[in-house]
Amino acid sequence: MAVPPPITNTIRRLRFDANEMTQQELADRIGMTRQTIAAIEQNKYSPSLEAAFRIAEVFGVELGEVFRWKAGGRPG
Amino acid sequence: MSPRERTAWIAVVCTIVIWSHYFGTFWLDVAARHLNGGQILTRFIVCMVIMAVVMIGLNLATGVMTRKNMQAPPDEMERQIEGRADRIGFRVLEWLIPVALIAGLLNTGAIAAAFPADPAGSTALIFTNGILMVIVLTELVRELVHIVSFRMAA
Protein backbone atom coordinates (compact mmCIF):
# COMPACT_ATOMS: atom_id res chain seq x y z
CA MET A 1 0.00 0.00 0.00
CA ALA A 2 3.03 2.28 0.25
CA VAL A 3 3.34 2.90 -3.51
CA PRO A 4 0.00 3.67 -5.19
CA PRO A 5 -0.74 1.05 -7.87
CA PRO A 6 -0.70 2.36 -11.47
CA ILE A 7 -4.46 1.90 -11.71
CA THR A 8 -7.23 4.47 -11.74
CA ASN A 9 -10.86 3.80 -10.96
CA THR A 10 -14.23 5.44 -11.49
CA ILE A 11 -16.01 4.03 -8.45
CA ARG A 12 -16.85 7.48 -7.05
CA ARG A 13 -18.54 8.50 -10.32
CA LEU A 14 -20.28 5.12 -10.66
CA ARG A 15 -21.64 5.43 -7.11
CA PHE A 16 -22.89 8.92 -7.94
CA ASP A 17 -24.59 7.64 -11.10
CA ALA A 18 -26.15 4.78 -9.09
CA ASN A 19 -28.37 7.18 -7.16
CA GLU A 20 -25.56 8.28 -4.79
CA MET A 21 -24.92 4.78 -3.52
CA THR A 22 -22.94 5.02 -0.28
CA GLN A 23 -19.60 3.29 0.30
CA GLN A 24 -21.32 1.21 3.00
CA GLU A 25 -24.02 0.03 0.57
CA LEU A 26 -21.40 -0.98 -1.99
CA ALA A 27 -19.36 -2.67 0.75
CA ASP A 28 -22.39 -4.65 1.95
CA ARG A 29 -23.21 -5.80 -1.57
CA ILE A 30 -19.75 -7.22 -2.23
CA GLY A 31 -18.98 -8.44 1.30
CA MET A 32 -16.31 -5.93 2.26
CA THR A 33 -15.91 -3.24 4.88
CA ARG A 34 -16.58 0.42 4.12
CA GLN A 35 -12.93 1.14 4.95
CA THR A 36 -11.77 -1.23 2.21
CA ILE A 37 -14.09 0.41 -0.35
CA ALA A 38 -12.73 3.83 0.69
CA ALA A 39 -9.15 2.55 0.28
CA ILE A 40 -9.93 1.14 -3.20
CA GLU A 41 -11.67 4.37 -4.23
CA GLN A 42 -8.67 6.46 -3.12
CA ASN A 43 -6.30 4.09 -4.93
CA LYS A 44 -4.61 3.08 -1.68
CA TYR A 45 -5.45 -0.58 -2.09
CA SER A 46 -5.68 -2.77 -5.21
CA PRO A 47 -8.57 -5.21 -4.92
CA SER A 48 -8.36 -8.83 -6.01
CA LEU A 49 -9.63 -9.70 -9.48
CA GLU A 50 -12.72 -11.29 -7.91
CA ALA A 51 -13.53 -8.15 -5.90
CA ALA A 52 -12.97 -6.00 -8.99
CA PHE A 53 -15.46 -8.12 -10.97
CA ARG A 54 -17.96 -7.95 -8.10
CA ILE A 55 -17.73 -4.15 -8.04
CA ALA A 56 -18.28 -4.01 -11.82
CA GLU A 57 -21.22 -6.40 -11.46
CA VAL A 58 -22.89 -4.17 -8.84
CA PHE A 59 -22.81 -1.21 -11.25
CA GLY A 60 -23.70 -3.39 -14.26
CA VAL A 61 -20.66 -2.32 -16.27
CA GLU A 62 -17.57 -3.98 -17.75
CA LEU A 63 -14.45 -4.27 -15.57
CA GLY A 64 -12.61 -1.82 -17.84
CA GLU A 65 -15.16 0.86 -17.06
CA VAL A 66 -14.36 0.62 -13.35
CA PHE A 67 -10.59 0.12 -13.36
CA ARG A 68 -8.09 1.44 -15.89
CA TRP A 69 -4.39 0.74 -16.17
CA LYS A 70 -2.22 3.86 -16.23
CA ALA A 71 -0.04 3.75 -19.35
CA GLY A 72 3.64 3.32 -18.48
CA GLY A 73 2.88 2.15 -14.97
CA ARG A 74 5.81 0.35 -13.37
CA PRO A 75 5.50 -2.64 -11.05
CA GLY A 76 5.40 -1.41 -7.44
CA MET B 1 -12.54 3.24 12.04
CA SER B 2 -13.09 -0.44 11.25
CA PRO B 3 -13.90 -2.88 14.09
CA ARG B 4 -10.53 -4.57 13.59
CA GLU B 5 -8.61 -1.32 13.87
CA ARG B 6 -10.55 -0.49 17.03
CA THR B 7 -9.68 -3.91 18.45
CA ALA B 8 -6.01 -3.25 17.65
CA TRP B 9 -6.12 0.12 19.47
CA ILE B 10 -7.75 -1.52 22.51
CA ALA B 11 -5.11 -4.27 22.52
CA VAL B 12 -2.24 -1.77 22.27
CA VAL B 13 -3.53 0.46 25.07
CA CYS B 14 -4.32 -2.52 27.35
CA THR B 15 -0.95 -4.15 26.63
CA ILE B 16 0.99 -0.96 27.34
CA VAL B 17 -0.88 -0.17 30.56
CA ILE B 18 -1.20 -3.67 32.08
CA TRP B 19 2.02 -5.34 30.96
CA SER B 20 4.13 -2.22 31.59
CA HIS B 21 2.93 -2.43 35.18
CA TYR B 22 3.70 -6.16 35.39
CA PHE B 23 7.17 -6.03 33.85
CA GLY B 24 8.02 -2.71 35.51
CA THR B 25 7.26 -4.25 38.92
CA PHE B 26 9.13 -7.45 38.04
CA TRP B 27 12.33 -5.71 36.93
CA LEU B 28 12.16 -3.38 39.96
CA ASP B 29 12.02 -6.54 42.13
CA VAL B 30 15.05 -7.90 40.24
CA ALA B 31 16.93 -4.63 40.79
CA ALA B 32 16.00 -4.75 44.50
CA ARG B 33 17.30 -8.37 44.65
CA HIS B 34 13.93 -9.52 45.92
CA LEU B 35 12.14 -12.18 43.85
CA ASN B 36 9.18 -14.06 45.26
CA GLY B 37 7.89 -16.73 42.87
CA GLY B 38 4.45 -16.95 44.48
CA GLN B 39 3.93 -13.18 44.35
CA ILE B 40 5.07 -12.99 40.74
CA LEU B 41 2.76 -15.83 39.70
CA THR B 42 -0.19 -14.17 41.46
CA ARG B 43 0.62 -10.82 39.83
CA PHE B 44 0.89 -12.56 36.43
CA ILE B 45 -2.50 -14.28 36.81
CA VAL B 46 -4.14 -11.03 37.99
CA CYS B 47 -2.70 -9.15 34.98
CA MET B 48 -3.88 -11.90 32.59
CA VAL B 49 -7.41 -11.83 34.04
CA ILE B 50 -7.57 -7.99 33.98
CA MET B 51 -6.27 -7.99 30.38
CA ALA B 52 -8.89 -10.53 29.27
CA VAL B 53 -11.78 -8.82 31.09
CA VAL B 54 -10.85 -5.30 29.92
CA MET B 55 -10.28 -6.38 26.31
CA ILE B 56 -13.49 -8.41 26.06
CA GLY B 57 -15.46 -5.68 27.86
CA LEU B 58 -14.15 -2.83 25.71
CA ASN B 59 -14.59 -4.79 22.47
CA LEU B 60 -18.18 -5.69 23.39
CA ALA B 61 -18.94 -2.13 24.49
CA THR B 62 -17.57 -0.53 21.33
CA GLY B 63 -19.28 -3.20 19.21
CA VAL B 64 -22.64 -2.44 20.81
CA MET B 65 -22.11 1.34 20.65
CA THR B 66 -21.21 1.32 16.96
CA ARG B 67 -23.63 -1.52 16.13
CA LYS B 68 -20.96 -3.25 14.06
CA ASN B 69 -20.93 -7.01 13.70
CA MET B 70 -17.70 -8.07 15.42
CA GLN B 71 -18.11 -11.65 14.16
CA ALA B 72 -18.00 -10.68 10.47
CA PRO B 73 -15.15 -12.46 8.69
CA PRO B 74 -12.23 -10.22 7.62
CA ASP B 75 -12.34 -9.00 4.04
CA GLU B 76 -9.37 -9.25 1.67
CA MET B 77 -7.68 -5.99 2.75
CA GLU B 78 -8.00 -6.94 6.40
CA ARG B 79 -6.56 -10.40 5.64
CA GLN B 80 -3.65 -8.75 3.80
CA ILE B 81 -2.99 -6.45 6.79
CA GLU B 82 -3.26 -9.45 9.13
CA GLY B 83 -0.75 -11.35 7.01
CA ARG B 84 1.71 -8.45 7.01
CA ALA B 85 1.38 -8.05 10.79
CA ASP B 86 2.00 -11.80 11.26
CA ARG B 87 5.10 -11.74 9.02
CA ILE B 88 6.60 -8.73 10.82
CA GLY B 89 5.66 -10.19 14.21
CA PHE B 90 7.33 -13.48 13.31
CA ARG B 91 10.53 -11.65 12.28
CA VAL B 92 10.54 -9.73 15.57
CA LEU B 93 10.07 -12.97 17.51
CA GLU B 94 12.78 -14.68 15.45
CA TRP B 95 15.28 -11.96 16.47
CA LEU B 96 14.22 -11.24 20.04
CA ILE B 97 14.05 -14.85 21.32
CA PRO B 98 17.74 -15.59 20.59
CA VAL B 99 18.74 -12.13 21.89
CA ALA B 100 16.84 -12.74 25.16
CA LEU B 101 18.23 -16.27 25.52
CA ILE B 102 21.84 -15.28 24.77
CA ALA B 103 21.61 -12.27 27.12
CA GLY B 104 20.24 -14.56 29.82
CA LEU B 105 22.86 -17.27 29.27
CA LEU B 106 25.71 -14.72 29.37
CA ASN B 107 24.41 -13.45 32.71
CA THR B 108 23.55 -16.70 34.54
CA GLY B 109 26.62 -16.27 36.77
CA ALA B 110 25.68 -12.71 37.68
CA ILE B 111 22.05 -13.73 38.35
CA ALA B 112 23.09 -16.62 40.58
CA ALA B 113 25.50 -14.35 42.48
CA ALA B 114 22.81 -11.67 42.95
CA PHE B 115 20.32 -14.15 44.43
CA PRO B 116 22.36 -16.45 46.73
CA ALA B 117 19.26 -17.65 48.62
CA ASP B 118 17.74 -19.28 45.52
CA PRO B 119 20.04 -18.95 42.48
CA ALA B 120 18.31 -21.61 40.35
CA GLY B 121 14.76 -20.38 41.04
CA SER B 122 15.71 -16.74 40.44
CA THR B 123 17.45 -17.62 37.17
CA ALA B 124 14.38 -19.54 36.02
CA LEU B 125 12.08 -16.64 36.94
CA ILE B 126 14.23 -14.12 35.07
CA PHE B 127 14.48 -16.37 31.98
CA THR B 128 10.74 -17.04 31.99
CA ASN B 129 9.84 -13.38 32.35
CA GLY B 130 12.39 -12.40 29.70
CA ILE B 131 10.75 -14.75 27.20
CA LEU B 132 7.30 -13.58 28.30
CA MET B 133 8.36 -9.97 27.71
CA VAL B 134 9.53 -10.90 24.20
CA ILE B 135 6.13 -12.46 23.46
CA VAL B 136 4.28 -9.39 24.76
CA LEU B 137 6.56 -7.07 22.72
CA THR B 138 5.92 -9.16 19.61
CA GLU B 139 2.17 -8.92 20.14
CA LEU B 140 2.51 -5.16 20.63
CA VAL B 141 4.43 -4.87 17.34
CA ARG B 142 1.76 -6.96 15.55
CA GLU B 143 -1.05 -4.72 16.78
CA LEU B 144 0.95 -1.57 15.93
CA VAL B 145 1.45 -2.90 12.38
CA HIS B 146 -2.35 -3.35 12.17
CA ILE B 147 -2.92 0.25 13.26
CA VAL B 148 -0.28 1.74 10.93
CA SER B 149 -1.61 -0.31 7.98
CA PHE B 150 -5.22 0.70 8.64
CA ARG B 151 -4.19 4.36 9.01
CA MET B 152 -2.23 4.22 5.73
CA ALA B 153 -5.31 2.88 3.94
CA ALA B 154 -7.70 5.39 5.54
Side-chain angles (χ1 to χ4, degrees), chain A residues 2 11-12 14 24 30 38 41 45-46 48 53 72-73 76:
Chain A
I11 296 174
R12 177 70 194 92
L14 289 165
Q24 187 63 60
I30 63 167
E41 209 172 283
Y45 171 70
S46 290
S48 67
F53 272 111

Short mmCIF file of all heavy atoms in Angstrom, two decimals, chain A residues 2 11-12 14 24 30 38 41 45-46 48 53 72-73 76:
data_model
loop_
_atom_site.label_atom_id
_atom_site.label_comp_id
_atom_site.label_asym_id
_atom_site.label_seq_id
_atom_site.Cartn_x
_atom_site.Cartn_y
_atom_site.Cartn_z
N ALA A 2 2.16 1.11 0.17
CA ALA A 2 3.03 2.28 0.25
C ALA A 2 3.07 3.02 -1.08
O ALA A 2 2.94 4.24 -1.12
CB ALA A 2 4.42 1.85 0.69
N ILE A 11 -14.98 4.49 -9.40
CA ILE A 11 -16.01 4.03 -8.45
C ILE A 11 -16.82 5.21 -7.91
O ILE A 11 -18.04 5.12 -7.80
CB ILE A 11 -15.37 3.22 -7.30
CG1 ILE A 11 -14.72 1.95 -7.85
CG2 ILE A 11 -16.40 2.86 -6.24
CD1 ILE A 11 -13.94 1.14 -6.84
N ARG A 12 -16.13 6.32 -7.61
CA ARG A 12 -16.85 7.48 -7.05
C ARG A 12 -17.94 7.94 -8.02
O ARG A 12 -19.08 8.19 -7.62
CB ARG A 12 -15.86 8.62 -6.76
CG ARG A 12 -16.49 9.91 -6.25
CD ARG A 12 -17.02 9.73 -4.83
NE ARG A 12 -17.90 10.81 -4.43
CZ ARG A 12 -19.23 10.82 -4.58
NH1 ARG A 12 -19.83 9.79 -5.15
NH2 ARG A 12 -19.95 11.83 -4.17
N LEU A 14 -19.28 6.18 -10.50
CA LEU A 14 -20.28 5.12 -10.66
C LEU A 14 -21.26 5.11 -9.48
O LEU A 14 -22.46 4.88 -9.67
CB LEU A 14 -19.59 3.77 -10.81
CG LEU A 14 -18.86 3.53 -12.14
CD1 LEU A 14 -17.92 2.34 -12.04
CD2 LEU A 14 -19.85 3.33 -13.28
N GLN A 24 -20.85 2.32 2.16
CA GLN A 24 -21.32 1.21 3.00
C GLN A 24 -22.24 0.28 2.21
O GLN A 24 -22.15 -0.95 2.34
CB GLN A 24 -22.05 1.76 4.23
CG GLN A 24 -22.42 0.70 5.26
CD GLN A 24 -21.21 0.02 5.86
OE1 GLN A 24 -20.36 0.66 6.46
NE2 GLN A 24 -21.10 -1.30 5.68
N ILE A 30 -20.84 -6.35 -1.77
CA ILE A 30 -19.75 -7.22 -2.23
C ILE A 30 -19.01 -7.89 -1.06
O ILE A 30 -17.97 -8.52 -1.24
CB ILE A 30 -18.74 -6.48 -3.14
CG1 ILE A 30 -18.05 -5.34 -2.39
CG2 ILE A 30 -19.42 -5.95 -4.39
CD1 ILE A 30 -16.85 -4.80 -3.14
N ALA A 38 -13.34 2.49 0.69
CA ALA A 38 -12.73 3.83 0.69
C ALA A 38 -11.28 3.75 0.21
O ALA A 38 -10.82 4.59 -0.57
CB ALA A 38 -12.81 4.43 2.08
N GLU A 41 -11.25 3.15 -3.53
CA GLU A 41 -11.67 4.37 -4.23
C GLU A 41 -10.54 5.41 -4.26
O GLU A 41 -10.36 6.09 -5.27
CB GLU A 41 -12.88 4.94 -3.50
CG GLU A 41 -13.82 5.71 -4.39
CD GLU A 41 -15.09 6.07 -3.65
OE1 GLU A 41 -15.94 5.19 -3.48
OE2 GLU A 41 -15.24 7.24 -3.25
N TYR A 45 -5.44 0.88 -2.16
CA TYR A 45 -5.45 -0.58 -2.09
C TYR A 45 -5.96 -1.14 -3.41
O TYR A 45 -6.99 -0.66 -3.93
CB TYR A 45 -6.34 -1.06 -0.94
CG TYR A 45 -6.56 -2.55 -0.94
CD1 TYR A 45 -5.52 -3.42 -0.63
CD2 TYR A 45 -7.79 -3.10 -1.27
CE1 TYR A 45 -5.72 -4.79 -0.66
CE2 TYR A 45 -8.00 -4.45 -1.30
CZ TYR A 45 -6.95 -5.31 -0.99
OH TYR A 45 -7.14 -6.65 -1.03
N SER A 46 -5.23 -2.12 -3.97
CA SER A 46 -5.68 -2.77 -5.21
C SER A 46 -6.49 -4.01 -4.86
O SER A 46 -5.96 -4.92 -4.24
CB SER A 46 -4.46 -3.22 -6.03
OG SER A 46 -3.81 -2.10 -6.54
N SER A 48 -8.59 -7.59 -5.25
CA SER A 48 -8.36 -8.83 -6.01
C SER A 48 -9.21 -8.77 -7.28
O SER A 48 -10.14 -7.97 -7.39
CB SER A 48 -8.77 -10.03 -5.17
OG SER A 48 -10.17 -10.02 -4.98
N PHE A 53 -14.31 -7.67 -10.18
CA PHE A 53 -15.46 -8.12 -10.97
C PHE A 53 -16.77 -7.91 -10.21
O PHE A 53 -17.79 -7.54 -10.80
CB PHE A 53 -15.30 -9.61 -11.35
CG PHE A 53 -14.55 -9.82 -12.63
CD1 PHE A 53 -13.28 -10.39 -12.62
CD2 PHE A 53 -15.09 -9.44 -13.85
CE1 PHE A 53 -12.56 -10.59 -13.80
CE2 PHE A 53 -14.38 -9.63 -15.04
CZ PHE A 53 -13.12 -10.21 -15.01
N GLY A 72 2.27 3.11 -18.97
CA GLY A 72 3.64 3.32 -18.48
C GLY A 72 3.81 3.03 -17.00
O GLY A 72 4.86 3.31 -16.43
N GLY A 73 2.78 2.47 -16.39
CA GLY A 73 2.88 2.15 -14.97
C GLY A 73 3.93 1.07 -14.71
O GLY A 73 4.01 0.10 -15.45
N GLY A 76 5.05 -2.00 -8.74
CA GLY A 76 5.40 -1.41 -7.44
C GLY A 76 6.17 -2.40 -6.67
O GLY A 76 6.37 -2.39 -5.54
#
